[in-house]
Amino acid sequence: NNVTTIYLEAFSGCKGLTEINFNAINMDDLSIYNHAFAYAGQDSAGIKLTIGAQVTRIPTYLFDPGSSSSYSPKLVSVEFEEGCQISTLWSNTFGQCLKLTSVEIPASVTTLKQAAFSKSGITHIEVPETVLYMEQNVFSNCPNLITAVFKANPYAQFEKTAITEYS
């Protein structure tokens, strides 16, 4: 719970990694060049990420491999513990997580920031009615996205380029 920083390439190359229990409550954002989990889980069936109930935010770029998707960790599932307190999924939270196909966004989330799932392997996403604001490119370049369900909320504001794909 007391982790505040994950240093450059801390878990890079941990190709057998299968599980991450993220319970850091006051962790700083990372830079796009941090590559904390670069290549992680590549030799396993993939990484199951569990976000603890006391976590209030996932740091920017924690799993994003930066400018090269070849560094992408093999994150295959994300589970938010019951009572999750995260209100915002920040920029590039799960960007370029190519093996991540589905995430159940918890009801505590009210905001999806720019490129939160950009270039990921998401095939299905359900945005709960609690999400009131969604920035641009949240789901950009997700070529496998087949179904996106947005629960009705008359007060929600979605930027017009929240979901895009470029050829």
Side-chain angles (χ1 to χ4, degrees), residues 9-165:
E9 300 180 356
F11 298 96
S12 177
C14 293
K15 293 182 177 185
L17 189 64
T18 59
E19 190 172 333
I20 299 171
N21 293 307
F22 186 80
N23 290 299
I25 355 183
N26 294 308
M27 195 170 144
D28 300 329
D29 281 334
L30 306 178
S31 87
I32 192 170
Y33 305 107
N34 186 284
H35 307 297
F37 289 94
Y39 307 110
Q42 295 300 324
D43 291 345
S44 71
I47 301 168
K48 175 187 176 194
L49 170 65
T50 303
I51 308 292
Q54 300 303 311
V55 175
T56 57
R57 66 188 306 269
I58 302 168
T60 301
Y61 299 114
L62 183 60
F63 299 102
D64 189 304
S67 59
S68 175
S69 62
S70 65
Y71 297 142
S72 182
K74 193 175 180 183
L75 188 63
V76 295
S77 72
V78 176
E79 179 182 317
F80 294 88
E81 287 184 350
E82 189 172 333
C84 176
Q85 298 179 30
I86 292 175
S87 63
T88 300
L89 291 182
W90 292 92
S91 299
N92 298 291
T93 301
F94 300 112
Q96 298 191 60
C97 290
L98 304 175
K99 300 298 182 185
L100 184 62
T101 58
S102 181
V103 174
E104 186 174 328
I105 299 172
S108 60
V109 173
T110 60
T111 303
L112 298 175
K113 292 290 199 172
Q114 181 174 334
F117 294 94
S118 179
K119 300 179 185 175
S120 70
I122 291 290
T123 58
H124 171 82
I125 195 76
E126 187 170 301
V127 179
E129 63 187 19
T130 56
V131 173
L132 299 174
Y133 185 71
M134 193 162 78
E135 287 186 354
Q136 65 186 6
N137 301 323
V138 171
F139 300 106
S140 69
N141 294 307
C142 292
N144 300 326
L145 184 59
I146 297 168
T147 308
V149 178
F150 299 90
K151 299 292 184 165
N153 188 321
Y155 302 105
Q157 297 178 357
F158 296 162
E159 291 190 14
K160 65 181 178 180
T161 60
I163 300 175
T164 59
E165 183 177 333

